[in-house]
Amino acid sequence: MWLEIFLSSVLGFVIYWFISQDKEETLPLEDGWWGPGTKPTAREDESIRPFKVETSDEEIIDLHQRIGKFRLTPPLEDSHFQYGFNTNYLKKIISYWRNEFDWKKQVDILNRYPHFKTKIEGLDIHFILVKPPQLPSSCSLKPLLMVHGWPGSFYEFYKIIPFLTDPKNHGLSDEHICEVICPSIPGYSFSEASSKKGFDSVATASIFYKLMLRLGFQEFYIQGGDWGSLICTNMAQLVPRHVKGLHLNMALILRNFFTLTILLGRRFGGLFGYSKRDMELMYPFKEKFLYNIMRESGYLHIQSTKPDTVGCALNDSPVGLAAYILEKFSTWTNSEFQNLEDGGLERKYSLEDLMTNVMLYWTTGTIVSSQRFYKENMGQGLMAQKHERMKVHVPTGFAAFPSELVHVPKKWLKFKYPKLISYSFMACGGHFAAFEEPELLAQDIRKFVSVLERR
């Protein structure tokens, strides 16, 4: 008991020390060259070119032939999704993919929003840009950059976009209307992959900032989860004067002393500022944190060390790729789904939407380059990165979804994001917030914008 009190006192001093270190640092904004070879002497083509997603009969025939040759391994009895993707349910996925899924129809759906490409730092950067169908004279337009993560894609945002660009026709007020820009991270979908080592989240943030300038936006809002949360955080650290507001639905808070707050927080939650809801989402610690992280982090170790090896198999087998990706949409949506025979996939998503996301990896052949992003960011450990030790001094909003892999209390966030002005406990939802609960996330983004605009 006395030891715990002593440790709590020490912790209080440590917290006070960190709070006092509030110097407003920024990351250096640099010009990189990530294309093949050396940087040419000629000025880079800065034109913005319309782009259209396309497919062919040959592409679909090749896919079906590969699907037809897949060799299934029977699952263990009563194993559900506890050993990974259950191959009994995988049979249904294969049958649907081969006999019902219409990729040409989905290509038309992908092309409903305008696509573009532009060269930045030697890479062809893909993005969609969606303007509101109409803008009331009393309303100012808010540019909003939304960044996806792994194993997602720009397609994650297709259902949230209408709530942001055309809110009145979707049951929301038209007080705040957004112009939404959704780029593909280089090496994902239709954005060109880096030809050089070292392309990390800061390099991506620099490119996306330059993209926004090229589109004519001097000030803008940014939003992200998964890798998108880190990329957007880095943008705020690079160019805080250009970022009007930062909204996240995931945050990486890695300070060592948080381990101590977790261990003591069960008994002294009030001392650390934990709310009742924080306690529900964090404890029991073993089940909510340790077991969850251990069970769900195997992919991370592989992709942070040898991404190309497993990538060879995934890039060659569409069924293997689907199992690898879709398993994340099961247990990252809700960890309890591992105890279901079908992984709970169709409880939150349609097979059509899930397979569209898989096809964006398969048809572009980008699973390897997408996985390399882990090695570039985590190969030396996130704590080794300067940006991890820096605070973010732009207005920030956070949506805490209850089934996210790790819950981040408001108190933790305020160490990294001292200008946190909006924190919401969401009613339901997990890791893929925009894909799973688009209306809920849109409402929280709009709430954050409203709070910030009033300030």
Side-chain angles (χ1 to χ4, degrees), residues 165-387:
T165 60
D166 192 17
K168 194 168 185 179
N169 285 330
H170 292 83
L172 304 175
S173 74
D174 59 2
E175 180 184 4
H176 301 294
I177 298 179
C178 297
E179 180 173 1
V180 179
I181 303 93
C182 301
S184 295
I185 297 171
Y188 289 69
S189 297
F190 305 109
S191 278
E192 187 178 358
S194 172
S195 295
K196 296 173 172 59
K197 295 187 292 184
F199 186 82
D200 60 9
S201 61
V202 177
T204 306
S206 176
I207 283 177
F208 286 172
Y209 162 62
K210 292 173 183 177
L211 170 64
M212 295 301 280
L213 290 186
R214 191 169 295 181
L215 293 173
F217 302 119
Q218 290 294 324
E219 283 190 324
F220 42 85
Y221 288 91
I222 53 181
Q223 199 284 328
D226 197 86
W227 281 129
S229 71
L230 183 57
I231 292 166
C232 289
T233 292
N234 293 157
M235 288 182 73
Q237 293 168 324
L238 283 166
V239 289
R241 293 183 181 180
H242 292 268
V243 177
K244 200 168 184 181
L246 165 68
H247 186 279
L248 306 173
N249 55 276
M250 176 183 164
L252 295 168
I253 308 292
L254 300 175
R255 293 291 187 193
N256 290 334
F257 64 84
F258 288 144
T259 304
L260 187 59
T261 72
I262 291 172
L263 295 175
L264 296 178
R266 180 70 171 180
R267 183 170 294 187
F268 302 106
L271 176 66
F272 301 117
Y274 297 162
S275 69
K276 180 182 177 182
R277 186 59 176 147
D278 286 326
M279 300 291 283
E280 292 171 351
L281 294 172
M282 293 170 66
Y283 300 99
F285 175 66
K286 285 184 179 179
E287 287 76 10
K288 296 288 181 70
F289 188 84
L290 283 181
Y291 294 163
N292 214 10
I293 292 299
M294 289 295 292
R295 184 177 61 241
E296 297 300 331
S297 62
Y299 82 99
L300 187 148
H301 296 288
I302 293 172
Q303 293 172 196
S304 297
T305 53
K306 302 289 182 67
D308 287 29
T309 304
V310 68
C312 290
L314 299 176
N315 198 45
D316 189 60
S317 168
V319 179
L321 178 68
Y324 196 74
I325 288 176
L326 295 183
E327 185 239 309
K328 305 308 179 193
F329 282 89
S330 166
T331 51
W332 290 5
T333 298
N334 189 321
S335 61
E336 295 300 316
F337 286 175
Q338 67 166 324
N339 299 316
L340 302 176
E341 198 72 22
D342 63 357
L345 279 170
E346 294 175 73
R347 294 191 178 193
K348 290 289 187 175
Y349 314 103
S350 70
L351 289 182
E352 189 173 62
D353 283 339
L354 290 170
M355 298 316 299
T356 297
N357 184 66
V358 171
M359 287 292 283
L360 285 171
Y361 282 87
W362 175 255
T363 57
T364 59
T366 52
I367 188 60
V368 176
S369 52
S370 74
Q371 292 178 155
R372 286 174 181 163
F373 206 59
Y374 282 81
K375 184 170 179 65
E376 303 297 6
N377 284 288
M378 305 187 77
Q380 305 300 320
L382 269 179
M383 290 294 289
Q385 306 289 340
K386 180 181 179 181
H387 63 77

